[in-house]
Amino acid sequence: MAHVTSRPAEAQHLRDLALLRRVRDRIDRDYAQPLDVEALARGVNMSAGHLSREFRRAYGEAPYGYLMTRRIERAMTLLRRGDMSVTEVCFAVGCSSLGSFSTRFTELVGVPPSVYRQRAASATAGMPSCVAKQVTRPIRNRETALT
């Protein structure tokens, strides 16, 4: 007996994946802009709930979590450069609350932004920026960064 697949369901799944890639690409490109799940969902004609469920299924985290990871990753780069204050970095990456930014940064990186800046300066000295970015990339639940 042959295995029967649901071609309409497969086709819908592939369409959803293409839309999810568009959402992820928009987050990657526009991370510093005010983005919320409702707006992202409207952009691909999905409900916010459906987008959140399918995005998590495809990428392992909710759209907002992915957005915050991108923002923190960019913040890490700006903090390593050392020419902006933590507050300036917070706003430059699209966060509107220094407290929320610091909390999420600490959650993802393992140390507060100010401590990260101090440690990163010595830990990545002499490293090409492309290597420093890979070595210091935020990983959810990392025990400690740059220790």
Side-chain angles (χ1 to χ4, degrees), residues 84-98:
M84 296 172 76
S85 72
V86 172
T87 302
E88 290 170 327
V89 168
C90 166
F91 294 121
V93 299
C95 293
S96 57
S97 162
L98 183 58

Side-chain angles (χ1 to χ4, degrees), residues 57-131:
R57 188 173 311 167
Y59 300 113
E61 64 182 319
Y64 183 74
Y66 183 83
L67 170 63
M68 288 307 295
T69 300
R70 294 288 73 76
R71 286 177 172 173
I72 298 306
E73 183 176 61
R74 179 64 180 145
M76 292 170 74
T77 299
L78 295 174
L79 289 169
R80 282 193 307 271
R81 281 193 349 208
D83 58 351
M84 296 172 76
S85 72
V86 172
T87 302
E88 290 170 327
V89 168
C90 166
F91 294 121
V93 299
C95 293
S96 57
S97 162
L98 183 58
S100 296
F101 167 74
S102 294
T103 298
R104 182 56 66 102
F105 190 99
T106 303
E107 174 189 309
L108 289 174
V109 180
V111 295
S114 56
V115 172
Y116 176 82
R117 178 200 308 258
Q118 293 166 353
R119 291 183 183 177
S122 60
T124 60
M127 223 182 261
S129 60
C130 59
V131 174

Side-chain angles (χ1 to χ4, degrees), residues 1 8-9 12-13 15-16 25 28 32 35-36 61 70 72 75 86 89 91 94-95 107 110 115 120 124 142-144:
M1 181 173 208
Q12 182 60 47
H13 179 68
R15 281 192 297 274
D16 281 354
D25 290 346
D28 287 342
L35 295 175
D36 60 49
E61 64 182 319
R70 294 288 73 76
I72 298 306
V86 172
V89 168
F91 294 121
C95 293
E107 174 189 309
V115 172
T124 60
R142 179 185 285 179
E143 290 292 322
T144 302

